[in-house]
Amino acid sequence: MVEIGVFDAIHSARALRRFRPDPVPDELITRVLDAALRAPSASGVQNWMFVVVKDPALRARLGELYRESSRVVLAEYADRLKPAHLGDRQYELMKKSSGYLFEHMADAPVLIVAALKLGAPGSRHSPLKGEQEMARFWRLSGASIYPAVQNLILACRALGLGTVLTTIHAYYEEALKAALGLPADVHTYALMPMGWPIDKFGPVKRRPLSEVAFRDRWGNSWVG
Ligand SMILES: Cc1cc2nc3c(=O)[nH]c(=O)nc-3n(C[C@H](O)[C@H](O)[C@H](O)COP(=O)(O)O)c2cc1C
């Protein structure tokens, strides 16, 4: 395996959604998960949970739920406009690639569900009261899982594995939780297919820094 620097990994870990059927050794999955749990979490709670799904019948079930979710997404977002910063070709490719996954989630040899054990509101693990406090809690809840998810993405890249963060399973989250036996206080944040990619890594193209970063005050573009 060729070593890859962290900046090269960041610049090439694009969303990959097509995978060869070849199995991924457990040792590599362990390395990827170990990288995930090196991430920070709020107050160091480390309440993340990762379910690695390799069993073909369970993958098929998750694939079915992802397909069902995609129908809801397609209906809900039928009139969605192209983000202005994406070129026509880039947008079409993104839609084609996500559309492929709608039908082929189960083809990935490994599916990883990233979740957080949040505790029931008002319990020892989640002593929250009031609507505002709850709203803030839910708005920030993903903050303790997505750093781990990004570590996972970069670790996959370093090992030559492809993956993509997906979230639309949320439409059928209860069914997904039932399929995997997740307890009620475990909430899912990502369903990530993983495997040896058919397509190439990077480059990752993004809006220019000057459009999204400011010096001192909003509107004063960062010019490095
Ligand atoms: C919060 C979040 C949710 C996403 N959900 C999905 C999803 O449900 N399905 C999917 O195919 N891709 C999903 N993606 C992947 C994005 O489409 C992808 O990161 C984006 O198009 C950039 O792709 P690139 O890195 O190849 O340029 C999601 C990404 C993020 C950050």
Side-chain angles (χ1 to χ4, degrees), residues 5-6 31 55 61 78 94 96 99 108-109 121-122 132 144 149 151 159 165 191-192 201 204 209 213 219 222:
V6 69
R31 280 192 78 186
D55 176 75
R61 176 66 183 137
M94 193 275 290
K96 194 172 163 211
Q132 228 182 349
S144 274
V149 165
N151 273 9
L159 296 169
L165 159 55
L191 169 61
M192 306 177 72
F201 289 105
V204 165
L209 190 55
W222 177 269

Side-chain angles (χ1 to χ4, degrees), residues 174-205:
E174 289 312 314
L176 180 141
K177 283 171 65 171
L180 302 180
L182 300 189
D185 61 352
V186 169
H187 299 262
T188 68
Y189 289 80
L191 169 61
M192 306 177 72
M194 184 212 276
W196 303 108
I198 291 175
D199 303 301
K200 293 201 169 69
F201 289 105
V204 165
K205 292 192 191 127

